[in-house]
Amino acid sequence: MRGCPPAAVLVLCGLCWAANAEIFTSIGQMTDLIYTEKELVQSLKEYIRAEESKLAAVKSWAKKLDVLTRASTSDPEGFLAHPVNAYKLMKRLNTEWSELESLVLQDPSDGFISNISAHRQYFPDEEDEKGAAKALMRLQDTYQLDSESFAKGNLHGVRYNAELTVDDCFDMGKTAYNEVDYYHSVLWMQQALKQMDAGEEAVVSKADVLDYLSYSVYQMGDLPRAIELTRRLVAIDPGHQRAGGNLRYFEKLLSAELTEKDQSQQEPMSEQPITLGTYKRPRDYLPERETYEALCRGEGVKMTIKRQSRMFCRYQDRNRNPRLLLKPMLEEDEWDSPHIVRYLNALSDEEIEKIKELAKPRLARATVRDPKTGVLTVANYRVSKSAWLEGEEDPVIDRVNQRIEDVTGLSVATAELLQVANYGVGGQYEPHFDFSRVSALISIHPLTVFWYNLFRSGEGDYRTRHAACPVLVGSKWVSNKWIHERGQEFRRPCGPSEVD
């Protein structure tokens, strides 16, 4: 006999605003780095002032001694004939030059080095940088952002004071290249080249950009453009160790292709610059990738007028629950199949801030269960950090748990702890199911949404497959409450029907 269906999951998405490795997976924890960097800048300024003070003192010594030696060397015997000058020469060389030596040997950088060393343990590592770069590419794909707009800080027509330099674009492309992601390598190397051609200065050389770009274009199957780019590379660096060989190899491949197609000459290379749509993005492990990304862009399924006419809003007091009689919860139908409702003003701003305050010190990389081994592990398709809060920790948590029970009519006695998640750079959770004999209630500030993951029969409701879209700009906090089926026997009895 099946157990009763899981009741619900509550997700309270708190706010959406404009190191331990994996720092990039939580904007909340990344904010600490802002203040760390500010402290280091202050320490750097203090070091500069100390160096300037030291240099000023050395300059003063040099100026004084320069005047003195000019006088002494013009007539050494006459200068030393005066006993005071003879005494002061002995004193200077025995004492004062030693003092100057000590001054020069002083290292004002000690304080700065000590400060930066103390903070280094909290710095992002190479994996963080790579994760953040891949997150930008994920945002680029999901929201169809061309590299130039991204590099200029222009996101969906809104200009932000955040731009990418040639070297930034090159590093983005190199990250993709090292991951054998030639699609994104092309997009970012092309942007680096474009900005260089426009006159922007950079540390990286144009030859290096062309080297990576030409080979990535070749890997995307565009031989004519790969040849053109490689010829350009040879023109600016005739002695390049790979360019000549690559060019001959590409031309040989193209010749073989033309022979196979029975063509005497190749078609003219496209004059159009490489853009987001020039090459088709390779498919990956997620079959519904295009649908998922379209939903994130707001291009999802639209409800018909007839279906909309069956959607209502109401004040919910859950069968005259005493705690809801004086202040019922405003409940709205969000979707009809599966039935999803949302609640307005489920949490106050003060409660949201308190939950974040309690969760932030405990945030750890969110995990998923490996379907093969059953072991919890991190995954690229879930980029966030989470913490679990008990009702006994603070009256706010206890009060929120009680409110969940009141508004859903379900017991939280057997529910999981309140989960708080914070999404990082491009943070997301790709399409997934929550049910494994559990159900979920999810909210997006200032709204809370609720649905059942299982039918009354105990079967999983596959219509509840859902996802968290990548965060384009801002920081997203979400609280979840998974309410198990145990304890709901009299509140939501089992039934043979798969229609709730």
Side-chain angles (χ1 to χ4, degrees):
M1 177 179 176
R2 296 183 181 276
C4 292
V9 179
L10 171 65
V11 181
L12 308 165
C13 171
L15 294 173
C16 296
W17 288 296
N20 38 335
E22 300 177 345
I23 296 174
F24 77 97
T25 61
S26 168
I27 292 293
Q29 289 190 331
M30 286 175 65
T31 56
D32 293 340
L33 297 179
I34 296 294
Y35 298 104
T36 295
E37 189 170 43
K38 181 179 180 181
E39 182 179 335
L40 290 176
V41 169
Q42 183 61 35
S43 179
L44 180 60
K45 288 180 178 179
E46 292 173 359
Y47 160 65
I48 293 172
R49 285 194 292 268
E51 285 282 18
E52 289 174 339
S53 176
K54 170 185 171 180
L55 185 59
V58 173
K59 283 182 176 179
S60 177
W61 271 91
K63 183 177 181 181
K64 179 180 69 172
L65 291 170
D66 183 49
V67 172
L68 190 62
T69 54
R70 284 181 187 176
S72 64
T73 55
S74 63
D75 181 10
E77 288 189 10
F79 181 83
L80 291 174
H82 197 294
V84 171
N85 287 341
Y87 163 73
K88 292 189 71 171
L89 176 63
M90 298 301 103
K91 179 184 176 184
R92 281 196 306 276
L93 292 176
N94 180 56
T95 305
E96 295 180 5
W97 274 96
S98 295
E99 292 175 358
L100 178 58
E101 181 183 21
S102 298
L103 174 61
V104 172
L105 290 175
Q106 285 179 7
D107 190 354
S109 68
D110 287 347
F112 173 70
I113 296 301
S114 176
N115 199 3
I116 198 171
S117 298
H119 286 93
R120 189 175 297 280
Q121 60 180 315
Y122 304 110
F123 281 12
D125 60 14
E126 186 176 347
E127 287 302 308
D128 283 302
E129 182 179 349
K130 183 171 72 173
K134 292 168 72 173
L136 293 189
M137 298 173 204
R138 180 163 58 248
L139 292 173
Q140 182 178 28
D141 295 339
T142 303
Y143 300 106
Q144 296 183 344
L145 301 169
D146 63 85
S147 300
E148 183 171 15
S149 294
F150 224 135
K152 299 305 179 186
N154 188 355
L155 303 182
H156 286 319
V158 180
R159 184 68 179 270
Y160 297 88
N161 186 27
E163 298 186 355
L164 295 173
T165 65
V166 168
D167 294 299
D168 292 332
C169 294
F170 175 78
D171 288 339
M172 287 281 293
K174 192 173 179 181
T175 296
Y177 184 93
N178 291 337
E179 293 287 308
V180 198
D181 177 4
Y182 299 112
Y183 172 79
H184 288 105
S185 177
V186 167
L187 293 176
W188 287 102
M189 290 299 175
Q190 170 68 21
Q191 183 59 31
L193 181 63
K194 184 174 183 178
Q195 291 178 211
M196 290 186 100
D197 287 344
E200 183 179 327
E201 295 184 358
V203 174
V204 65
S205 69
K206 186 173 289 188
D208 282 343
V209 175
L210 285 167
D211 188 17
Y212 279 97
L213 178 57
S214 59
Y215 189 77
S216 296
V217 166
Y218 155 68
Q219 287 290 346
M220 293 305 295
D222 191 346
L223 275 173
R225 198 185 298 263
I227 290 171
E228 187 273 334
L229 290 167
T230 308
R231 285 173 178 165
R232 186 176 172 185
L233 170 57
V234 171
I236 64 174
D237 187 0
H240 193 280
Q241 60 178 349
R242 286 182 301 276
N246 283 352
L247 181 57
R248 290 189 293 274
Y249 178 66
F250 295 160
E251 289 175 336
K252 182 179 178 181
L253 288 177
L254 183 59
S255 177
E257 279 189 9
L258 293 175
T259 301
E260 187 176 337
K261 294 178 181 178
D262 198 23
Q263 292 180 228
S264 58
Q265 60 182 8
Q266 71 179 70
E267 297 178 1
M269 189 195 74
S270 172
E271 297 285 330
Q272 296 297 320
I274 298 172
T275 61
L276 198 61
T278 300
Y279 304 118
K280 186 173 179 62
R281 178 164 46 125
R283 292 188 175 275
D284 63 9
Y285 56 86
L286 187 65
E288 65 226 279
R289 172 72 63 192
E290 292 183 3
T291 302
Y292 162 54
E293 292 178 349
L295 284 168
C296 291
R297 295 191 298 271
E299 303 168 6
V301 178
K302 305 299 181 183
M303 193 174 289
T304 64
I305 296 178
K306 183 176 181 180
R307 288 173 65 186
Q308 288 178 0
S309 68
R310 295 194 291 265
M311 309 296 281
F312 298 96
C313 61
R314 63 198 67 83
Y315 282 107
Q316 179 64 266
D317 64 12
R318 195 55 67 181
N319 298 322
R320 300 182 64 77
N321 182 300
R323 282 178 289 272
L324 295 177
L325 279 177
L326 294 179
K327 191 179 179 180
M329 190 74 72
L330 181 57
E331 180 183 271
E332 295 181 353
D333 292 324
E334 180 72 17
W335 202 253
D336 56 353
S337 181
H339 187 212
I340 300 174
V341 296
R342 64 176 178 175
Y343 299 101
L344 279 67
N345 302 319
L347 294 176
S348 67
D349 289 343
E350 292 75 17
E351 288 172 329
I352 290 172
E353 292 304 317
K354 187 61 180 180
I355 291 172
K356 288 169 54 183
E357 176 189 328
L358 293 170
K360 188 174 177 180
R362 309 183 199 178
L363 291 173
R365 179 70 187 267
T367 57
V368 296
R369 193 170 297 280
D370 188 306
K372 296 181 180 179
T373 65
V375 177
L376 290 175
T377 183
V378 300
N380 291 331
Y381 58 82
R382 187 180 191 184
V383 182
S384 65
K385 287 190 174 183
S386 59
W388 300 85
L389 304 179
E390 298 189 41
E392 295 78 11
E393 295 182 43
D394 191 277
V396 167
I397 307 303
D398 190 52
R399 188 163 65 242
V400 169
N401 285 338
Q402 183 62 59
R403 192 174 304 147
I404 293 170
E405 180 166 312
D406 292 341
V407 76
T408 63
L410 300 169
S411 172
V412 296
T414 57
E416 296 187 17
L417 302 180
L418 186 68
Q419 185 203 53
V420 181
N422 179 227
Y423 289 78
V425 182
Q428 64 162 1
Y429 193 176
E430 290 179 356
H432 62 283
F433 296 108
D434 279 339
F435 55 75
S436 174
R437 303 258 179 198
V438 292
S439 57
L441 167 61
I442 306 172
S443 80
I444 302 176
H445 180 74
L447 307 175
T448 300
V449 297
F450 169 86
W451 71 82
Y452 289 101
N453 284 325
L454 300 185
F455 293 108
R456 288 186 180 275
S457 64
E459 294 289 341
D461 186 345
Y462 288 88
R463 300 171 302 173
T464 61
R465 187 166 172 82
H466 59 286
C469 294
V471 179
L472 180 57
V473 177
S475 174
K476 181 171 72 173
W477 290 81
V478 179
S479 294
N480 305 282
K481 189 74 172 180
W482 283 276
I483 307 173
H484 291 272
E485 68 274 19
R486 299 184 307 278
Q488 317 304 332
E489 291 82 357
F490 299 104
R491 301 190 183 213
R492 189 183 186 236
C494 299
S497 173
E498 291 197 354
V499 179
D500 190 63

